[in-house]
C-alpha cells in the first residue's frame, strides 16, 4: 500500500504536466493560466473556512450527545481538498473536487469501529489482579 502511494506521489508531477499541456492545447493559454491561478485561490479560501465549519459541526454533534467522528472526517476531507487545490495542476484539482462532492466524500469514509460493549454485556470471566477496597 505504501509503495503504491509513493509511486503515485512520484508520478503526480508528470501526470500534472501532461494534463496541463492537454488543457493548454484544448482551451488556450490564457484560460489555462486563469484556471491554474484560480485553483490555489479556491484552495486557500477552502482551507480558511474549513476549520470554522468543522468546529461548528463538532460542537453541534457533542451538544446532541453524539460522537463527532463524521464531522471530523468531513473536516479532514475538506482540508485535504483545500491542500490539493493549492497544488498547481488539473489532476489534483479533480481529486479535490471528488472530495468536495458530498456523496463521493461519504463513499470514501470508512465505517467507524465497533463500539465497546455496554456495561454488563461483556464476558463473564473473572478479572485477575489485586484490588483494594476503601470503605468509609
Amino acid at each position: 500500500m505504501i509503495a503504491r502511494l509513493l509511486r503515485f506521489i512520484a508520478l503526480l508531477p508528470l501526470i500534472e504536466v501532461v494534463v496541463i499541456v492537454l488543457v493548454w492545447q484544448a482551451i488556450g493559454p490564457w484560460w489555462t493560466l486563469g484556471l491554474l491561478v484560480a485553483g490555489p485561490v479556491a484552495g486557500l479560501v477552502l482551507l480558511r473556512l474549513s476549520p470554522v465549519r468543522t468546529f461548528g459541526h463538532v460542537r453541534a454533534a457533542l451538544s446532541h450527545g453524539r460522537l463527532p467522528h463524521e464531522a471530523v472526517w468531513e473536516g479532514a476531507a475538506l482540508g485535504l481538498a483545500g491542500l490539493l487545490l493549492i497544488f498547481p495542476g488539473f489532476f489534483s484539482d479533480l481529486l479535490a473536487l471528488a472530495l468536495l462532492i458530498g456523496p463521493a466524500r461519504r463513499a470514501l469514509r470508512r465505517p467507524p469501529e465497533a463500539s465497546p460493549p455496554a456495561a454488563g454485556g461483556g464476558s463473564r470471566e473473572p478479572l485477575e489482579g489485586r484490588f483494594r477496597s476503601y470503605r468509609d
Side-chain angles (χ1 to χ4, degrees):
M1 173 80 178
I2 293 177
R4 284 188 209 164
L5 182 63
L6 290 176
R7 200 174 315 131
F8 176 73
I9 290 172
L11 288 176
L12 189 60
L14 179 64
I15 294 170
E16 292 288 7
V17 168
V18 169
V19 173
I20 288 172
V21 169
L22 291 174
V23 170
W24 186 289
Q25 291 173 350
I27 65 173
W30 295 112
W31 286 105
T32 304
L33 290 174
L35 289 173
L36 287 173
V37 170
V41 170
L44 288 173
V45 169
L46 186 63
L47 281 176
R48 189 115 199 230
L49 297 177
S50 173
V52 174
R53 180 182 181 274
T54 302
F55 180 72
H57 286 271
V58 167
R59 192 177 68 217
L62 290 175
S63 70
H64 285 59
R66 293 179 284 129
L67 290 177
H69 58 82
E70 188 167 330
V72 170
W73 161 251
E74 296 276 329
L78 291 176
L80 181 60
L83 286 175
L84 285 171
L85 282 171
I86 289 176
F87 295 129
F90 296 110
F91 186 73
S92 60
D93 291 351
L94 287 175
L95 293 175
L97 288 176
L99 285 173
L100 289 175
I101 297 172
R105 184 174 54 237
R106 283 188 285 281
L108 291 173
R109 184 174 63 91
R110 293 175 53 196
E113 298 294 326
S115 60
S123 75
R124 300 287 181 193
E125 298 289 323
L127 293 176
E128 300 285 330
R130 295 182 182 180
F131 298 97
R132 289 186 185 168
S133 175
Y134 296 101
R135 296 183 189 193
D136 295 315

